[in-house]
Amino acid sequence: MPPDAVAARVTPPKLNPVRVPVPEEPVAERVTDFREVLHAYSRESAVLEAKRCIQCRRPWCVEACPISQDCKEYIRLIAADDFDGAARVTLRDDPLATTLCKVCYHYCEESCVITKKGVPIAIRQLKRAALDFGGSERTYIASQPKSQRVAVVGAGPAGLMAAWDLGVRGYSVSVFEQEPEEGGLIRTIPAYRMTDADLREDLGRFRDLDVTFVDNRKVGRDTTVADLLREGYAAVFLGLGTPDHRGLGVPGEELAGVLPALDFLRQATHGRAPPIGRAVVVVGGGDVAMDSVRTALRLSPGGTITLVYRRGREEMPADPEEIHGAEAEGIRFVFQRAPVRIVGDGRVEGLVVQAMELGPPDAGGRRAPHPVPGSETTIPCDTVLVAVGQQADVRGFPPEIGLRISPKGWPEGTGPGYATNVPGVFAAGGRSVVYAMGAAMEAVVAIDAYLAHLRGAAPTARPDPFGGPVAFHLPPGYTKPIRS
Ligand SMILES: Cc1cc2nc3c(=O)[nH]c(=O)nc-3n(C[C@H](O)[C@H](O)[C@H](O)COP(=O)(O)OP(=O)(O)OC[C@H]3O[C@@H](n4cnc5c(N)ncnc54)[C@H](O)[C@@H]3O)c2cc1C
Ligand code: SF4
Ligand code: SF4
């Protein structure tokens, strides 16, 4: 072997630790309306950023992605200026790519090896570049029709992923959604992060599959799982998610001006935000709280927007990118304070909070808050937005189905592939868009095996959704997704 070739084999590629900056709307301008905060890369910037990837033999990025998106491959194609190819690879495994390229919490980036020396590859931002310059308007094609019908309940990310994966495999799918529109909690994400048009673009790609959306139909009320099985659906996937608000459980929550953050965001993203005051307090430390403070700021220019959280900044479950964005926009953070009651005469006038002391880290590494006696203070305000969690509504789903409520609130089956106690009925969800999709993808493998068994056939891998000869494959070096 020539000496140069030997050197190429033993010398690792030169690692560039500095990310090509992602353009951002300046703070002073962006807080005046709902324009997008993060901008797209130019074609040249995307190629430069993609060239930083060292194409690891074992792609940690792919392993960390709950839907096993072959990001290593789309980055390689972008580095070679093949944006068409990159868009195809992206959309091959990800039917909600236009949504995810804006709001995915990019678990891939946390695992990228470049993190050891610098800033990880901007994998999510490169997904956006693939679609921007390679085209996102491709439609999906079903493989050989299977003559079995599947009912999907819930058109959130889990239900949409299940419908897509089953549709591509040739099943006839009906999606029952209680709301007038598809998207689930995606529809509460503010327009400064992603728009309705982004979701519509994703849904538009389903049009050639045998997937029918039946909106305004609540399973458990208008029909039941047993009815669906009786009507001839050979399997049912429940992607019920957490559409309902969880309250604070303190006196005064019924006062005018106290609003569930979920309803507030839902209305705001549809341009029908309820009137809010000049002194807004948001209670919570997660992503819903972050979206609420930043939305309230945009709806109450010059107002004081305060976030109250019972632990410290380090313990906040919100995405660091969102916390950073809120801080930059001037949100006031009050840490280690928990609400005790809301006061006012018919209308909210103040939130009474109590100081919290943080104990040692628990088994999960989080420090538990303990109330400090005699430490109550009042934060004057005219609006309180409650963002302390969401929950499922499983009324109308009998206990025999065997739905377990996950610690974060969504119902799921406990058997392999999220199977429930009822043969042919599966249920899954997730703590983020891509986790919900990953769980649904796992359920579909089990649903396909169940249905194949019913028709006396062997289960098969998901075919190429663009009708090409190549079936979905896991990238070389891949082990299995990390599902925490
Ligand atoms: C404000 C906010 C911001 C967020 N931001 C992000 C983000 O930036 N990135 C990210 O990855 N994740 C984000 N998330 C989390 C993400 O939206 C959820 O993890 C994800 O939507 C869960 O998907 P799902 O399909 O399991 O459930 P859901 O999205 O809750 O969807 C469930 C669907 O089922 C329907 N449904 C429920 N019960 C029935 C029934 N009985 N009959 C018919 N239909 C029914 C519901 O109406 C809903 O449409 C955010 C969540 C919120 C609230
Ligand atoms: S879907 Fe999310 S986690 Fe997966 S590769 Fe894309 S940005 Fe990363
Ligand atoms: S882990 Fe990072 S450097 Fe390695 S292939 Fe993935 S994106 Fe590229």
Side-chain angles (χ1 to χ4, degrees), residues 166-420:
L166 289 160
V168 165
R169 288 166 193 262
Y171 294 103
S172 173
V173 185
S174 304
V175 184
F176 298 93
E177 169 55 52
Q178 64 183 2
E179 295 290 332
E181 290 167 318
E182 294 79 40
L185 291 179
I186 293 177
R187 291 217 167 261
T188 61
I189 299 179
Y192 63 82
R193 297 209 284 129
M194 70 166 276
T195 62
D196 250 14
D198 293 326
L199 180 59
R200 275 203 304 278
E201 180 151 348
D202 282 332
L203 293 172
R205 277 185 236 109
F206 283 52
R207 63 180 169 265
D208 292 341
L209 299 176
D210 187 0
V211 175
T212 310
F213 292 105
V214 185
D215 295 333
N216 297 308
R217 185 81 62 90
K218 184 172 168 73
V219 175
R221 183 192 64 197
D222 306 329
T223 184
T224 64
V225 170
D227 289 339
L228 293 172
L229 292 170
R230 257 194 307 273
E231 280 168 27
Y233 290 103
V236 178
F237 173 80
L238 304 174
L240 305 179
T242 54
D244 288 358
H245 156 78
R246 194 177 281 164
L248 283 173
V250 301
E253 222 170 334
E254 71 295 343
L255 289 171
V258 182
L259 306 168
L262 214 51
D263 293 353
F264 166 72
L265 290 171
R266 229 177 238 134
Q267 291 168 31
T269 54
H270 284 81
R272 299 191 303 259
I276 56 166
R278 307 277 302 155
V280 181
V281 175
V282 175
V283 184
D287 292 303
V288 182
M290 275 325 116
D291 283 343
S292 300
V293 283
R294 298 179 76 186
T295 298
L297 182 73
R298 285 157 172 79
L299 293 172
S300 181
T304 310
I305 317 294
T306 307
L307 181 127
V308 171
Y309 179 52
R310 63 194 181 131
R311 293 184 162 100
R313 190 187 188 285
E314 296 304 303
E315 285 82 17
M316 283 180 91
D319 184 25
E321 195 174 295
E322 295 306 311
I323 301 174
H324 172 74
E327 282 172 340
E329 290 170 8
I331 303 298
R332 182 176 157 237
F333 285 76
V334 176
F335 292 116
Q336 290 182 234
R337 295 286 183 284
V340 179
R341 62 188 170 277
I342 305 169
V343 291
D345 185 9
R347 196 178 167 87
V348 55
E349 289 167 15
L351 177 74
V352 182
V353 294
Q354 187 173 28
M356 294 279 134
E357 229 167 44
L358 296 183
D362 60 16
R366 296 184 84 206
R367 299 163 68 204
H370 302 288
V372 179
S375 62
E376 286 183 9
T377 49
T378 302
I379 305 175
C381 57
D382 49 27
T383 308
V384 173
L385 300 174
V386 181
V388 292
Q390 292 88 245
Q391 55 192 350
D393 175 4
V394 287
R395 284 171 297 178
F397 293 86
E400 303 83 81
I401 296 182
L403 290 177
R404 180 186 77 156
I405 302 296
S406 76
K408 291 276 180 187
W410 63 84
E412 61 187 14
T414 53
Y418 298 101
T420 66

Side-chain angles (χ1 to χ4, degrees), residues 19-23 39-53 74-83 86 121-134:
R19 178 181 282 189
V20 176
V22 176
H39 293 222
Y41 271 149
S42 66
R43 193 178 178 114
E44 297 70 31
S45 298
V47 172
L48 270 180
E49 177 62 11
K51 282 188 170 160
R52 289 208 302 131
C53 170
Y74 76 61
I75 295 170
R76 186 187 71 78
L77 291 163
I78 292 175
D81 203 23
D82 179 0
F83 283 84
I121 306 298
I123 303 175
R124 183 186 72 189
Q125 191 71 5
L126 289 176
K127 186 196 293 285
R128 181 171 176 176
L131 302 181
D132 281 352
F133 303 111

Side-chain angles (χ1 to χ4, degrees), residues 64-110:
C65 175
I67 57 167
S68 311
Q69 171 93 96
D70 195 352
C71 41
K72 172 182 163 182
E73 178 63 0
Y74 76 61
I75 295 170
R76 186 187 71 78
L77 291 163
I78 292 175
D81 203 23
D82 179 0
F83 283 84
D84 270 359
R88 194 181 189 288
V89 166
T90 302
L91 291 165
R92 186 193 64 193
D93 316 332
D94 181 0
L96 301 183
T98 308
T99 296
L100 283 176
C101 78
K102 303 270 180 86
V103 303
C104 186
Y105 294 138
H106 47 70
Y107 308 101
C108 49
E109 293 179 22
E110 279 155 37

